[in-house]
Amino acid sequence: MTTDNSERFTICNVEEEMKTSYLRYSMSVIISRALPDVRDGLKPSQRRILYAMKLLNLSPGGKHRKCAKISGDTSGDFHPHGEQVIYPTLVRMAQPWAMRYRLIDGQGNFGSVDGDPPAAMRYTEARLTHAAIQLMEDLDKETVDYQPNYDETKTEPMVFPALFPNLLCNGSSGIAVGMATNIPPHNLNELIQATTLLLDNPAATIDEMMRLMPGPDFPTGGAIQGYKGIKEAYHTGRGKLTLRGVLNVEPMEGIDREQIVITEIPYNINKARLIEQIAGLINDKVITGISDLRDESDKDGLRIVIELKKGVISDVVTCQLFKFSDLEVTFGCIMLALDKGLPQVMTIKQMVQAWITHRIEVVRKRTAYELKKAEARAHLLEGYLRALDQLDEVVRTIRASQTREQAKQELIHLFAFTEIQASAILDLRLYQLTGLERNKLQEEHQELLRKIDWYRSVLASEERVRGIIKEELLRIEETHKSPRQTEIVPFQGEMEMEDLIANEEIIIQISEDDYIKRMPVTLFREQKRGGQGISGVELKKEEDAIKGFYVAWMHDYLLIFTSLGRCYVLKSWQVPEASRKSKGKALINLLEDIQPNEKIETILTFPSFEKEACIFMATRLGVVKKSELKTFNSMRRKGFRAIEIDEGDELIAAKVVEKDKQVMLFTYQGSAVRFDESEVRPMGRLARGVRGVTLKNENDYVVGCEVVSPSESILVVCENGFGKRSLVDDFRATHRGGLGVRSILTSERNGQVISALSVQESDGVVMVATNGQTIRIRMSDVRVMGRSTQGVRLAQLKNDSRLLSVQKVASVAEELNDEEAKPEDKQEE
């Protein structure tokens, strides 16, 4: 239909028009913006910048020019999208941490690996690198097709001749419409070896290529974990690489601590943002073993220093850094590029083969161009030589002619010169007619004839073309040797903290004011009973007394029960290691939401939550409760409620109990009750529990809870260092809630009962006094006696101190030091 203004309108279906328009837009983005060409590895914007720089004669040996000039010329002549769009592309081609082989040599501030922006284009300067020149080499020899620029005032190359496979050397990334590419960079020397293999043997497999080129090589280094992702990417065009930074553990000078030094970070990771990320993990207490973090990077290289706290396992912190920070990333390979104008996901062999096909075409076109030039020059030389042979006649003919055109026609008519030869003869200078010049012309003609024969043989043989390509590649390899930056290491799988830690037996110690530490169990030498022991910790004040020792393994879970009936779950290795005399670390730094009046009462250790068992808990006032073990499988830092505690009561013990076992409760005034665990039914975590023992009076309270079997014996220890060992069967079985029977005679000599343990002949025990004195004895040195006796001296206490806690440890065979071992005291019954 036509309006009064003669405007033309076409009626169409909106849906079809949207499809057509969007398809055109998509193809424009895919072909003209986002995806690189497989032949030269460049996107149109990159190619236009480099070509504009070539036209400005910005060669590697020349002067730099302002980036504003380069961006302006590129925008005005070839890429009409604005200088602010062109400049970031130029900057990236000049950044050594972004490009494996830079195409632009920048001068000035081109940003940093910290993510700092480059200076404005009016301040920075640039020129081409040798690699860029090699991409454009032979561009003026009709090797590639040209197309008009956007306003058809100039022409630009559609692709570069590309003397080396730039797409795989520098990689590429881009997001188009409905597709994306992410090609990793590679080492040029390795790539050349793999390419020459394919030139010699087009049937070579990808696996054979990988023997020469094992994987990507990123400019920032790092370490690729395993070959699986590389093989997938090379064989299918898609794959995921696990890329890690490189770090080393170094001892700190002058102090007994270690530091982790990061020297390489993964590709495309912002260093400043990585440091902020690690600092956030420290502040959020996700990583607790770091005391200081600083950046010591300079012009000599990257260096991020992470100082560790004393006793922290460096491998654990390393694992946490890889797990929670960008020190480990996944690089998703999408080997997508334009091949013959169409986007294709290609294998590594297809990419190299596409470059070889392009290069064969370039060499053929270059050879044909040089052949044409050589033939044209040879044609002229043939005319010169014929003219010299008939010099007098030629000169006479020229002198007899009235005009240049007449002379040319006479030469053509009389001597059978071609029009080109005749014009060239007329242009000769007199000195070129000498004998010396004749010899030069003859030598040049012979050389041209040899070249013409060579060019024709090259055009007739693809084998020779491939040989030329191989020679050119080997020449580049010789002049551009670059060692591999990225290491490829065997994949170790998903790292767990325990995989880095030896599962060794340890002792976990808690002081009265809830400082905790772990120590190797071998620090404590076994002694004969009655020994004075060794110093367990250097105590400075009375409230620093030791609360308890707990034996565990490094991979064990720790169930930490508090006096208010709450439970926290930790791993043994999370407790910091410290020396025997060190106080340790405040538990408030490991656990959250600890109340001011809340104390750690007991620690339970076991390897996993899968065991079919229950947790049996007892309070100071005789209340007991049983809950299934699986209900405690929670690693919340704020803990959870394990038992409901009455006012004035507190939790004093928790044990793992299995079916058909018996439980014994021991009181401060020397009573013991023994009953089957089945008398207490399993309850939920918020339940209060039931009566376990009836106390004698208001001064009596429960001091111990043990899960026992008839083959074991019971070690009852009093506060003055005396105790005895009796068989479990000596304690008459009753029911829960009863008064029980006597466990030991409490007296002024013995003091009251502070602990009772179920032990066997092969066991050892560690006893801790209020002054920090630590004694370890073997049960084989303590004979079994009746339950109503007063017992024997187990430890010689110093400075009027009293025993505070007793813990069972596995027996370790050691030779005793006779000077430390004291003679046995006389047994008193």
Side-chain angles (χ1 to χ4, degrees):
M1 124 180 116
T2 305
T3 66
D4 294 339
N5 296 327
S6 299
E7 293 180 352
R8 195 179 191 89
F9 293 90
T10 302
I11 298 175
C12 64
N13 185 294
V14 174
E15 182 180 356
E16 292 298 323
E17 181 63 24
M18 290 294 292
K19 286 181 179 179
T20 304
S21 299
Y22 191 75
L23 182 60
R24 289 174 180 169
Y25 162 73
S26 302
M27 291 307 296
S28 174
V29 172
I30 291 169
I31 295 173
S32 303
R33 292 167 98 184
L35 299 184
D37 195 298
V38 71
R39 295 171 291 179
D40 63 3
L42 297 174
K43 301 177 184 178
S45 58
Q46 297 171 321
R47 190 179 299 114
R48 288 165 177 167
I49 291 170
L50 297 177
Y51 185 61
M53 294 178 72
K54 178 179 174 62
L55 296 181
L56 289 170
N57 294 318
L58 300 181
S59 60
K63 291 184 177 181
H64 294 79
R65 290 291 296 272
K66 289 290 186 183
C67 291
K69 168 66 174 173
I70 299 170
S71 300
D73 281 15
T74 305
S75 177
D77 292 340
F78 306 113
H79 200 68
H81 297 285
E83 299 171 3
Q84 299 302 323
V85 176
I86 294 169
Y87 184 52
T89 304
L90 185 154
V91 166
R92 181 171 177 81
M93 289 193 288
Q95 293 174 333
W97 59 90
M99 301 286 285
R100 183 64 179 85
Y101 300 93
R102 292 182 302 150
L103 301 178
I104 291 177
D105 176 22
Q107 182 171 271
N109 177 13
F110 277 79
S112 72
V113 74
D114 287 323
D116 299 321
M121 67 181 80
R122 62 182 178 272
Y123 299 120
T124 57
E125 299 177 341
R127 64 184 179 187
L128 295 169
T129 64
H130 289 285
I133 292 296
Q134 287 167 343
L135 285 180
M136 295 184 282
E137 189 171 303
D138 300 327
L139 197 58
D140 55 350
K141 294 183 179 180
E142 300 177 359
T143 52
V144 295
D145 295 332
Y146 279 70
Q147 63 184 3
N149 67 341
Y150 66 94
D151 61 359
E152 297 187 354
T153 59
K154 296 179 181 294
T155 58
E156 59 176 318
M158 299 177 67
V159 68
F160 285 161
L163 199 57
F164 62 93
N166 178 60
L167 180 61
L168 290 173
C169 278
N170 278 316
S172 185
S173 63
I175 300 175
V177 179
M179 60 186 67
T181 184
N182 200 27
I183 303 170
H186 292 75
N187 184 275
L188 176 60
N189 303 103
E190 295 176 352
L191 179 57
I192 286 175
Q193 293 176 22
T195 305
T196 55
L197 170 68
L198 211 56
L199 282 167
D200 293 335
N201 179 20
T205 65
I206 295 176
D207 290 334
E208 289 173 339
M209 294 175 66
M210 286 187 66
R211 294 191 188 102
L212 302 172
M213 184 179 65
D217 187 23
F218 297 98
T220 54
I224 299 173
Q225 304 296 302
Y227 287 91
K228 181 180 178 182
I230 300 174
K231 287 183 177 180
E232 288 178 354
Y234 284 5
H235 283 80
T236 68
R238 296 180 183 270
K240 291 182 179 180
L241 313 180
T242 300
L243 184 62
R244 287 180 178 169
V246 174
L247 48 80
N248 300 297
V249 179
E250 301 176 356
M252 296 179 65
E253 294 184 5
I255 52 178
D256 186 20
R257 286 197 292 161
E258 293 180 322
Q259 63 184 18
I260 296 173
V261 179
I262 302 173
T263 55
E264 297 175 13
I265 60 176
Y267 183 57
N268 280 341
I269 293 300
N270 185 308
K271 174 166 69 72
R273 197 170 298 128
L274 174 64
I275 294 173
E276 290 177 6
Q277 188 183 48
I278 296 174
L281 294 171
I282 298 170
N283 293 334
D284 295 339
K285 296 186 177 180
V286 176
I287 302 178
T288 59
I290 297 176
S291 64
D292 190 23
L293 170 67
R294 61 183 181 274
D295 185 7
E296 296 182 356
S297 304
D298 55 21
K299 61 182 178 61
D300 295 325
L302 185 142
R303 181 179 171 88
I304 303 172
V305 178
I306 301 172
E307 291 188 4
L308 304 182
K309 297 177 181 177
K310 189 172 183 179
V312 172
I313 301 173
S314 59
D315 285 343
V316 172
V317 178
T318 298
C319 182
Q320 291 173 326
L321 289 171
F322 286 142
K323 187 172 184 178
F324 300 117
S325 77
D326 285 340
L327 203 58
E328 175 181 304
V329 297
T330 298
F331 186 95
C333 294
I334 307 174
M335 314 292 273
L336 175 69
L338 293 175
D339 184 20
K340 299 176 182 176
L342 297 176
Q344 299 283 347
V345 176
M346 291 178 276
T347 66
I348 196 75
K349 180 178 178 180
Q350 289 172 333
M351 281 191 164
V352 175
Q353 189 61 60
W355 176 84
I356 291 175
T357 301
H358 168 63
R359 194 63 194 164
I360 289 174
E361 183 180 355
V362 166
V363 172
R364 284 184 176 278
K365 286 183 176 181
R366 182 186 66 190
T367 305
Y369 172 82
E370 290 174 339
L371 173 62
K372 185 170 67 173
K373 282 188 63 177
E375 288 177 337
R377 179 63 178 169
H379 181 62
L380 287 179
L381 293 177
E382 288 172 0
Y384 289 160
L385 292 172
R386 284 173 55 201
L388 290 174
D389 289 338
Q390 308 172 66
L391 184 58
D392 293 338
E393 291 82 358
V394 170
V395 171
R396 190 179 303 111
T397 302
I398 294 173
R399 292 183 65 182
S401 302
Q402 298 296 319
T403 63
R404 176 186 175 90
E405 183 62 28
Q406 183 185 356
K408 184 171 71 172
Q409 293 301 325
E410 288 294 330
L411 290 174
I412 294 173
H413 176 69
L414 296 174
F415 302 102
F417 289 125
T418 65
E419 186 170 345
I420 295 174
Q421 288 174 332
S423 296
I425 290 169
L426 291 172
D427 291 335
L428 278 175
R429 298 178 182 179
L430 291 176
Y431 79 87
Q432 293 178 292
L433 304 178
T434 64
L436 183 62
E437 289 299 317
R438 178 184 178 89
N439 293 335
K440 288 183 179 180
L441 291 175
Q442 288 176 338
E443 290 175 2
E444 184 182 355
H445 184 252
Q446 293 299 321
E447 180 64 25
L448 281 174
L449 291 178
R450 285 192 293 271
K451 285 185 177 181
I452 289 170
D453 289 340
W454 165 252
Y455 293 147
R456 288 173 178 170
S457 67
V458 169
L459 292 174
S461 170
E462 183 175 317
E463 184 179 351
R464 287 197 172 183
V465 174
R466 288 177 174 268
I468 292 171
I469 297 172
K470 182 177 179 180
E471 288 176 6
E472 293 172 342
L473 286 175
L474 294 177
R475 239 183 344 259
I476 294 176
E477 182 183 18
E478 187 65 28
T479 57
H480 291 79
K481 287 190 175 180
S482 175
R484 167 170 276 276
Q485 303 288 333
T486 302
E487 185 182 4
I488 303 176
V489 299
F491 182 63
Q492 298 175 353
E494 181 71 22
M495 271 206 308
E496 298 293 338
M497 308 303 178
E498 286 81 359
D499 296 337
L500 305 173
I501 304 167
N503 194 19
E504 300 171 340
E505 191 176 19
I506 57 172
I507 287 178
I508 294 177
Q509 173 184 293
I510 302 181
S511 67
E512 195 64 40
D513 52 354
D514 286 343
Y515 275 73
I516 191 169
K517 66 177 180 180
R518 61 177 165 84
M519 300 170 288
V521 73
T522 53
L523 282 181
F524 300 93
R525 180 183 290 109
E526 287 185 343
Q527 299 179 12
K528 297 290 185 179
R529 69 172 178 84
Q532 294 187 10
I534 58 175
S535 176
V537 64
E538 192 171 303
L539 301 174
K540 298 180 180 175
K541 49 187 178 181
E542 186 176 351
E543 56 267 28
D544 279 347
I546 304 303
K547 180 187 297 184
F549 270 31
Y550 301 91
V551 178
W553 293 83
M554 285 287 278
H555 291 190
D556 281 356
Y557 289 93
L558 303 181
L559 256 64
I560 303 175
F561 292 88
T562 72
S563 57
L564 298 184
R566 289 201 299 171
C567 179
Y568 295 85
V569 182
L570 289 178
K571 282 287 197 173
S572 295
W573 55 262
Q574 290 179 295
V575 177
E577 184 177 8
S579 65
R580 198 174 64 235
K581 293 188 177 182
S582 172
K583 188 175 181 180
K585 183 176 182 179
L587 254 177
I588 194 172
N589 294 326
L590 298 177
L591 310 177
E592 291 184 2
D593 205 24
I594 293 285
Q595 302 300 315
N597 62 338
E598 191 172 13
K599 288 288 187 179
I600 304 301
E601 289 299 333
T602 188
I603 293 180
L604 198 60
T605 68
F606 50 92
S608 72
F609 292 97
E610 298 175 359
K611 190 175 182 180
E612 290 293 333
C614 294
I615 302 295
F616 193 94
M617 291 162 279
T619 72
R620 182 183 178 90
L621 298 183
V623 175
V624 296
K625 175 187 171 182
K626 186 172 71 173
S627 297
E628 292 183 348
L629 176 61
K630 61 185 178 182
T631 63
F632 289 81
N633 188 6
S634 175
M635 294 287 285
R636 288 180 293 178
R637 293 177 62 85
K638 292 187 177 180
F640 51 86
R641 179 71 62 184
I643 183 173
E644 191 66 32
I645 298 294
D646 295 336
E647 185 176 354
D649 198 1
E650 63 181 9
L651 183 69
I652 60 99
K655 302 286 181 180
V656 176
V657 62
E658 299 176 357
K659 286 185 178 181
D660 301 325
K661 289 288 186 178
Q662 291 186 323
V663 177
M664 294 186 69
L665 299 177
F666 302 88
T667 71
Y668 180 66
Q669 295 183 354
S671 295
V673 61
R674 173 185 166 200
F675 57 88
D676 291 335
E677 57 84 22
S678 59
E679 294 193 22
V680 181
R681 62 177 180 83
M683 307 176 194
R685 285 202 320 228
L686 298 180
R688 173 187 175 277
V690 295
R691 172 66 56 188
V693 61
T694 299
L695 303 176
K696 292 181 178 180
N697 51 55
E698 60 182 10
N699 295 324
D700 199 10
Y701 56 87
V702 177
V703 296
C705 173
E706 286 294 309
V707 177
V708 298
S709 61
S711 63
E712 295 177 325
S713 57
I714 297 295
L715 176 70
V716 181
V717 182
C718 296
E719 56 190 352
N720 291 339
F722 290 86
K724 70 176 181 67
R725 200 174 140 215
S726 303
L727 295 175
V728 169
D729 284 340
D730 288 346
F731 296 86
R732 177 171 49 87
T734 59
H735 296 284
R736 71 167 181 86
L739 285 170
V741 298
R742 177 175 294 174
S743 62
I744 193 173
L745 289 173
T746 56
S747 61
E748 185 177 350
R749 185 201 76 158
N750 285 359
Q752 302 298 317
V753 177
I754 58 107
S755 181
L757 299 172
S758 110
V759 295
Q760 295 181 348
E761 191 77 9
S762 60
D763 288 333
V765 296
V766 172
M767 296 175 287
V768 181
T770 54
N771 64 352
Q773 187 181 354
T774 305
I775 305 100
R776 179 176 176 179
I777 63 173
R778 292 176 293 198
M779 287 298 94
S780 58
D781 293 332
V782 181
R783 69 180 181 86
V784 175
M785 57 187 69
R787 66 177 177 82
S788 297
T789 58
Q790 290 193 63
V792 298
R793 183 183 297 278
L794 300 177
Q796 183 73 44
L797 302 179
K798 302 176 182 178
N799 302 327
D800 296 327
S801 62
R802 58 185 179 82
L803 286 182
L804 185 65
S805 67
V806 182
Q807 285 293 318
K808 181 168 60 175
V809 297
S811 179
V812 179
E814 291 186 35
E815 291 187 9
L816 297 177
N817 187 325
D818 293 335
E819 293 183 1
E820 285 191 12
K822 296 293 180 180
E824 297 181 12
D825 291 339
K826 183 180 178 180
Q827 295 181 3
E828 301 180 49
E829 299 184 13

